[in-house]
Amino acid sequence: MPATPKKTNPSMLDVARHAGVSIATVSNVINRPEKVSKATTEQVRAAISELGFVRNDAARSLATGTTSSIGMVLADLDNSLFVDMAHGAQQGADAIGLRLLLGNAACDLDRQDDYLRLFDEARVGGVLLSPMEDSLAGIERMRSHGRPMVLLNYDQDGIECCTVLVDNEEVGYLAARHLIETDCRRIAFVAGRDYYQPVHARRVGVQRAVREAGGAVLEEIDTDGLAFEDGVAVARALGERSTAQRPDGIVAVTDDIANGIADGLHAALIAEVPGDISIVGCEDNRSARSGPVALTAVQLEGAKMGQAAAELLLEEMNNPAGEHRHRTVVVRPGLVVRASTAAAPLGV
Amino acid sequence: MPATPKKTNPSMLDVARHAGVSIATVSNVINRPEKVSKATTEQVRAAISELGFVRNDAARSLATGTTSSIGMVLADLDNSLFVDMAHGAQQGADAIGLRLLLGNAACDLDRQDDYLRLFDEARVGGVLLSPMEDSLAGIERMRSHGRPMVLLNYDQDGIECCTVLVDNEEVGYLAARHLIETDCRRIAFVAGRDYYQPVHARRVGVQRAVREAGGAVLEEIDTDGLAFEDGVAVARALGERSTAQRPDGIVAVTDDIANGIADGLHAALIAEVPGDISIVGCEDNRSARSGPVALTAVQLEGAKMGQAAAELLLEEMNNPAGEHRHRTVVVRPGLVVRASTAAAPLGV
DNA sequence: CGCGCGGATTTAAGCGCTTAAGTCGCGGAC
DNA sequence: GTCCGCGACTTAAGCGCTTAAATCCGCGCG
């Protein structure tokens, strides 16, 4: 066993010696096989596998000044939206032969910064970032180093960066319209934290849908937060009303709230979902599964966002720094109908 | 705008010139600040931030022959088990100042191989791999390059590697014992594909729990596969029986089957869960959320596994190749009680 | 028989960093 | 007054690869 010390991995030089050729030839065999004669190629190949040679990427990228990978820093892998984004980005990266390296910030700003720095030092071709709030500093640092970067789901002024956003107004619109199409007329929009940009946009979308529909009325119910419990509280409040006073269709601004409402309604036997009240959530997050009924929801299409981001990044990577104009692409959300809303009436 | 070409990022040499010192001093400021005088340090620091210098990690690791990151290749990020593993590994890596790079194979063997190769070429300190079936080739290649690696959730003979496994027998045991403790006496174990090692182990665990308990009987129900529909089919079959002939507690070998059963029972009004029949799933996967009732399940403790793996990896990284003895650590699963089983009787 | 040619290979100059081995001054000990 | 030691810095030799330029060599041609 101690017979094979195998201290350091073999280098190209070792391969070259082993094959009786020069180091440049080995490099050529690997990178431009067409420049090397058949016979030599064979020998070198043999030497490579005999020695178990693996090209040292550090040296390679030092010599060429390029990398074949891009980095992606995700705010929270526990949230399926980000997993979807990773998928989409993967797709996009694959299409052009780039490797996607993932870093999970796990909701920790420091860690997000760590990864940003790591990717910066690793001189990746570019970075995809789904930033947490207050990520400005890290973003600007990266930008100032001239590294291509695109932001996902971060709608903030004054950012000089390509960005992929979801059309949150459309999210609200689709949710409300679905309710209306399934014959709900007393619509409620349940939300908190209106200063939060996505919340506000969804509200506007809901309002528009109701207005357009005519014949439907909209009630806006405020919550303290955006969590399950806030939904439960709303359900409780609804329980105090007479049946006629209750909405017959609810758009909750998050899946969690939606599930909370459904659970509250269900547990206290206040109303049947969707029999008495239909509920639509927003986001369609796989980790929000706390409710008693499968939730109809408007999904954010993380995969599309990821892919769009990868394409944007590529665009920036391929353009000389001066030339590039930052763009924002807005991804349209989609409705996923499940059990928490009545099926659309036949023939509609 | 074209005034600042900022072609390539500044190098240490640039910083050195800018600060009027030698390149070695710059390096020292960064790596061994105690060897440099206060004043010089200041100057260099200033130059660094003025130029926006970022150390080139490729060059660094080429020069030192080390990296500060380890790679992790996950079979499928859509499966929360792997997300949990990533978390755990992250934890473990953080603790010792290593950076964890993630690659998502997304159930694609080629992609898994790609990532393995990428990490190999990047000379990461080591690799954590949750392999898919038939990953032998990639594993051996990596091993033969002498790169430290530990496997997660891959119980296969003839692998020369540290491994982290879950105690699947315990999984079955815990599930069945929970049912028994909540007063179920006619236990059913629902599973398919017994040739699949985890399935078989869980079966053995269930059998042991029932045997130990005494007074309970075990029925083993076979399914074709391990999916939701297979559970639905079982529910249907149960519907044909008289109530007395039905089990009062079911261990399903996967969450999906468990949810299928619950859904089938519920939809066809065959039985109440947990009123008439309690159900326990295995795995506790967040993406399995198709059921009508929150599932009690035995969870695989992905986070613990990830952390254990990171520790094992560290152990191997710190030991001279010859010295290291491969080990296998087995993580004990845990029970998560939710709504699909009756609460334990008071006082038990 | 000498030339020019072109394909096959080698030479050598870096890429940006680390680090062992100097160099340089300067103050204190003898 | 000389010399040593020491702190603060610089020199220079790589790390393993890429690549442009140089070299080599066998051939067909005039």
CSV table of all heavy atoms in Angstrom, one decimal, chain B residues 225-247:
chain,number,residue,atom,x,y,z
B,225,GLY,N,-45.4,-0.3,-7.9
B,225,GLY,CA,-44.3,0.7,-7.9
B,225,GLY,C,-44.3,1.4,-6.5
B,225,GLY,O,-44.8,0.9,-5.5
B,226,LEU,N,-43.7,2.6,-6.5
B,226,LEU,CA,-43.6,3.3,-5.2
B,226,LEU,C,-44.3,4.7,-5.3
B,226,LEU,O,-44.0,5.6,-4.5
B,226,LEU,CB,-42.1,3.5,-4.9
B,226,LEU,CG,-41.3,2.2,-4.8
B,226,LEU,CD1,-39.8,2.5,-4.7
B,226,LEU,CD2,-41.8,1.4,-3.6
B,227,ALA,N,-45.2,4.8,-6.2
B,227,ALA,CA,-45.8,6.2,-6.5
B,227,ALA,C,-47.2,6.3,-5.9
B,227,ALA,O,-47.8,5.4,-5.4
B,227,ALA,CB,-45.8,6.4,-8.0
B,228,PHE,N,-47.6,7.6,-6.0
B,228,PHE,CA,-48.9,7.9,-5.5
B,228,PHE,C,-50.0,7.0,-6.0
B,228,PHE,O,-50.8,6.5,-5.2
B,228,PHE,CB,-49.2,9.4,-6.1
B,228,PHE,CG,-50.5,10.0,-5.5
B,228,PHE,CD1,-50.4,10.6,-4.3
B,228,PHE,CD2,-51.6,10.0,-6.2
B,228,PHE,CE1,-51.6,11.2,-3.8
B,228,PHE,CE2,-52.8,10.5,-5.7
B,228,PHE,CZ,-52.8,11.2,-4.5
B,229,GLU,N,-50.0,6.7,-7.3
B,229,GLU,CA,-51.1,5.9,-7.9
B,229,GLU,C,-51.1,4.5,-7.3
B,229,GLU,O,-52.1,3.9,-7.1
B,229,GLU,CB,-50.9,5.7,-9.4
B,229,GLU,CG,-51.0,7.0,-10.2
B,229,GLU,CD,-49.8,7.9,-10.0
B,229,GLU,OE1,-48.6,7.4,-9.9
B,229,GLU,OE2,-49.9,9.1,-9.8
B,230,ASP,N,-49.9,4.0,-7.0
B,230,ASP,CA,-49.9,2.7,-6.4
B,230,ASP,C,-50.6,2.7,-5.0
B,230,ASP,O,-51.2,1.7,-4.6
B,230,ASP,CB,-48.4,2.2,-6.2
B,230,ASP,CG,-47.7,2.2,-7.6
B,230,ASP,OD1,-48.2,1.5,-8.5
B,230,ASP,OD2,-46.7,2.9,-7.7
B,231,GLY,N,-50.5,3.8,-4.4
B,231,GLY,CA,-51.2,3.9,-3.1
B,231,GLY,C,-52.7,4.0,-3.3
B,231,GLY,O,-53.5,3.4,-2.6
B,232,VAL,N,-53.1,4.7,-4.3
B,232,VAL,CA,-54.5,4.8,-4.6
B,232,VAL,C,-55.1,3.5,-4.9
B,232,VAL,O,-56.2,3.1,-4.4
B,232,VAL,CB,-54.7,5.8,-5.9
B,232,VAL,CG1,-56.2,5.8,-6.3
B,232,VAL,CG2,-54.3,7.2,-5.6
B,233,ALA,N,-54.3,2.7,-5.7
B,233,ALA,CA,-54.8,1.3,-6.0
B,233,ALA,C,-55.0,0.5,-4.7
B,233,ALA,O,-56.0,-0.2,-4.6
B,233,ALA,CB,-53.8,0.6,-6.9
B,234,VAL,N,-54.1,0.6,-3.8
B,234,VAL,CA,-54.2,-0.1,-2.5
B,234,VAL,C,-55.5,0.3,-1.8
B,234,VAL,O,-56.2,-0.5,-1.3
B,234,VAL,CB,-53.0,0.2,-1.6
B,234,VAL,CG1,-53.2,-0.4,-0.2
B,234,VAL,CG2,-51.7,-0.5,-2.2
B,235,ALA,N,-55.7,1.7,-1.8
B,235,ALA,CA,-56.9,2.2,-1.1
B,235,ALA,C,-58.2,1.5,-1.7
B,235,ALA,O,-59.1,1.1,-1.0
B,235,ALA,CB,-57.0,3.7,-1.2
B,236,ARG,N,-58.2,1.5,-3.0
B,236,ARG,CA,-59.3,0.9,-3.7
B,236,ARG,C,-59.5,-0.6,-3.3
B,236,ARG,O,-60.6,-1.0,-3.0
B,236,ARG,CB,-59.1,1.0,-5.2
B,236,ARG,CG,-60.4,1.3,-6.0
B,236,ARG,CD,-60.2,1.6,-7.4
B,236,ARG,NE,-58.8,1.7,-7.9
B,236,ARG,CZ,-58.3,2.7,-8.5
B,236,ARG,NH1,-59.0,3.8,-8.6
B,236,ARG,NH2,-57.0,2.7,-8.9
B,237,ALA,N,-58.4,-1.3,-3.3
B,237,ALA,CA,-58.5,-2.7,-2.9
B,237,ALA,C,-59.0,-2.8,-1.5
B,237,ALA,O,-59.9,-3.7,-1.2
B,237,ALA,CB,-57.1,-3.3,-3.0
B,238,LEU,N,-58.6,-1.9,-0.6
B,238,LEU,CA,-59.1,-1.9,0.8
B,238,LEU,C,-60.6,-1.7,0.8
B,238,LEU,O,-61.3,-2.2,1.7
B,238,LEU,CB,-58.3,-0.9,1.6
B,238,LEU,CG,-57.2,-1.3,2.6
B,238,LEU,CD1,-56.6,-2.6,2.3
B,238,LEU,CD2,-56.2,-0.2,2.7
B,239,GLY,N,-61.0,-0.9,-0.1
B,239,GLY,CA,-62.5,-0.5,-0.1
B,239,GLY,C,-63.3,-1.8,-0.3
B,239,GLY,O,-64.5,-1.8,0.0
B,240,GLU,N,-62.8,-2.8,-1.0
B,240,GLU,CA,-63.6,-4.0,-1.3
B,240,GLU,C,-63.8,-4.8,0.0
B,240,GLU,O,-64.6,-5.7,0.0
B,240,GLU,CB,-62.8,-4.9,-2.3
B,240,GLU,CG,-62.2,-4.1,-3.4
B,240,GLU,CD,-63.1,-4.1,-4.7
B,240,GLU,OE1,-63.2,-5.2,-5.3
B,240,GLU,OE2,-63.7,-3.1,-5.0
B,241,ARG,N,-62.9,-4.6,0.9
B,241,ARG,CA,-63.0,-5.5,2.1
B,241,ARG,C,-64.1,-5.0,3.1
B,241,ARG,O,-64.5,-3.8,3.1
B,241,ARG,CB,-61.7,-5.5,2.9
B,241,ARG,CG,-60.5,-5.9,2.1
B,241,ARG,CD,-59.3,-6.0,3.0
B,241,ARG,NE,-58.1,-6.2,2.3
B,241,ARG,CZ,-56.9,-6.3,2.9
B,241,ARG,NH1,-56.8,-6.2,4.2
B,241,ARG,NH2,-55.9,-6.6,2.2
B,242,SER,N,-64.5,-5.8,4.0
B,242,SER,CA,-65.4,-5.4,5.1
B,242,SER,C,-64.5,-4.6,6.0
B,242,SER,O,-63.3,-4.8,6.1
B,242,SER,CB,-65.9,-6.6,5.8
B,242,SER,OG,-64.9,-7.2,6.5
B,243,THR,N,-65.1,-3.7,6.8
B,243,THR,CA,-64.4,-2.9,7.7
B,243,THR,C,-63.5,-3.7,8.6
B,243,THR,O,-62.3,-3.3,8.9
B,243,THR,CB,-65.4,-2.0,8.6
B,243,THR,OG1,-66.4,-1.5,7.7
B,243,THR,CG2,-64.6,-0.9,9.3
B,244,ALA,N,-64.0,-4.8,9.1
B,244,ALA,CA,-63.3,-5.6,10.1
B,244,ALA,C,-62.0,-6.2,9.5
B,244,ALA,O,-61.0,-6.5,10.2
B,244,ALA,CB,-64.1,-6.7,10.6
B,245,GLN,N,-62.0,-6.3,8.2
B,245,GLN,CA,-60.9,-7.0,7.5
B,245,GLN,C,-59.8,-6.0,7.2
B,245,GLN,O,-58.7,-6.3,6.7
B,245,GLN,CB,-61.4,-7.6,6.2
B,245,GLN,CG,-62.4,-8.6,6.3
B,245,GLN,CD,-61.9,-10.0,6.7
B,245,GLN,OE1,-60.9,-10.0,7.5
B,245,GLN,NE2,-62.4,-11.0,6.1
B,246,ARG,N,-60.1,-4.7,7.4
B,246,ARG,CA,-59.1,-3.7,7.0
B,246,ARG,C,-58.1,-3.5,8.2
B,246,ARG,O,-58.4,-3.7,9.3
B,246,ARG,CB,-59.8,-2.4,6.7
B,246,ARG,CG,-60.7,-2.4,5.5
B,246,ARG,CD,-61.4,-1.1,5.3
B,246,ARG,NE,-62.4,-1.2,4.3
B,246,ARG,CZ,-63.5,-0.5,4.2
B,246,ARG,NH1,-63.7,0.4,5.1
B,246,ARG,NH2,-64.4,-0.7,3.3
B,247,PRO,N,-56.9,-3.1,7.8
B,247,PRO,CA,-55.9,-2.8,8.8
B,247,PRO,C,-56.4,-1.5,9.5
B,247,PRO,O,-57.2,-0.7,9.0
B,247,PRO,CB,-54.7,-2.5,8.0
B,247,PRO,CG,-55.1,-2.2,6.6
B,247,PRO,CD,-56.4,-3.0,6.4
